């Protein structure tokens, strides 16, 4: 069984640690939050006093942090992952961060001859708990193959996306489409209702017609159409609007960097910014339908 070091014990990190422990790996953990450390210790993980201590005692390192700045902070620097990790080690960054920062960290890892992959996830907290995450992996293929047995403890689909940073690229393009499609489905259902269509009847038609998509058929934002989705549970997340806004902003940074035109991505970013500013941050992202309706739906 492997010696794994896990940095970032938030909503996603803690259940991921629990799944690694269930596969009998030794898991050393570090987080700035003492509460998160205590929770992981109660699950059977070994809390470490610093990143240096964690990395010195581990072969496989995971990070599951919020932002590119946080990942840079723990990966680079005198006592960071890339300075301390041995040449036999493997660094897996599962945070969702910008492509440029991810590629910068990969380049430094390559220079130091340390194996690294970027492996952001889709599937949310429920997927992290149930070990059904989808991993999108960027980096050298041999490192992807080496990581597979660990990622298999955490997810159902592990997909190789190509060279360094391509996992992050796949993640933000996917989520840009998701943000846009959620707004499109919301508008369609609101208009259908105003035109006198019963939402369930419209769902039966549209989910079997050419506008069918995941935002509609699996996660319909119109309350009362599907059971067990946030719209039928007062928009309790799920995936919060602030998380969606974070990913949309990353998509717009990437579009600027790559000189790509994404007018609907830009519009979705503006609409989610407004929704978050108006108090929707911790609402499920499908709750944007309420703002589009001008209040309650
Ligand atoms: P979170 O904010 O719950 O957890 C982040 C953790 O990192 C916190 O416990 C924080 O204390 C810790 N941290 C921050 N800086 C640190 C440092 N320098 N050293 C050690 N620990 C540090 O975030 P989350 O919801 O678990 O998300 C993690 C990543 O996964 C994000 O990039 C997010 O975009 C992505 N993601 C989240 C979801 C979701 O539904 N929550 C879904 C898919 C992807």
């Amino acid at each position: 069984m492997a010696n794994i070091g896990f940095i970032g014990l938030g909503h996603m990190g803690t259940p991921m640690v629990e799944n690694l422990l269930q596969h009998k790996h030794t898991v050393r953990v570090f987080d700035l939050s003492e509460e998160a450390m205590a929770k992981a210790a109660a699950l059977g993980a070994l809390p470490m006093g610093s990143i240096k201590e964690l990395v010195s005692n581990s072969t496989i390192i995971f990070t599951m942090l919020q932002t590119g700045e946080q990942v840079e902070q723990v990966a680079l620097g005198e006592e960071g992952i890339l300075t301390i990790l041995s040449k036999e080690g493997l660094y897996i960054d599962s945070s969702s961060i910008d492509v440029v920062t991810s590629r910068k960290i990969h380049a430094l890892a390559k220079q130091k001859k340390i194996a690294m992959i970027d492996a952001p996830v889709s599937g949310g907290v429920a997927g992290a708990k149930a070990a059904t995450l989808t991993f999108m992996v960027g980096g050298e293929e041999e490192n992807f193959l080496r990581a597979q047995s660990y990622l298999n403890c955490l997810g159902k689909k592990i997909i190789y996306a190509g060279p360094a940073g391509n996992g992050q690229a796949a993640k933000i393009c996917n989520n840009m489409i998701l943000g846009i499609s959620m707004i499109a489905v919301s508008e369609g259902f609101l208009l259908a209702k105003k035109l006198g269509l019963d939402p369930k009847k419209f769902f039966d038609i549209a989910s079997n017609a050419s506008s069918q998509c995941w935002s509609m058929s699996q996660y319909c934002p119109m309350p009362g159409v599907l059971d067990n989705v946030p719209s039928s549970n007062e928009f309790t997340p799920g995936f919060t609007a602030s998380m969606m806004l974070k990913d949309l902003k990353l998509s717009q940074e990437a579009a600027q960097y790559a000189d790509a035109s994404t007018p609907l991505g830009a519009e979705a970013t503006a609409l989610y910014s407004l929704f978050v500013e108006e108090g929707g941050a911790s609402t499920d992202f499908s709750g944007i339908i309420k703002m589009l309706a001008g209040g309650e739906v």
Side-chain angles (χ1 to χ4, degrees), residues 7-13 30-33 36 51 64-67 70 73-74 94-97 121-125 171 238-240 243 246-247:
I7 304 167
L9 306 169
H11 295 95
M12 299 292 286
F30 182 76
D31 194 289
L32 298 177
S33 152
I51 289 183
M64 194 53 172
L65 301 163
Q66 267 290 345
T67 64
Q70 289 171 356
Q73 209 182 339
V74 305
S94 282
S95 326
S96 300
I97 66 169
V121 303
S122 177
V125 177
K171 166 81 186 171
F239 184 58
T240 62
M243 286 279 189
K246 176 197 159 184
D247 290 347

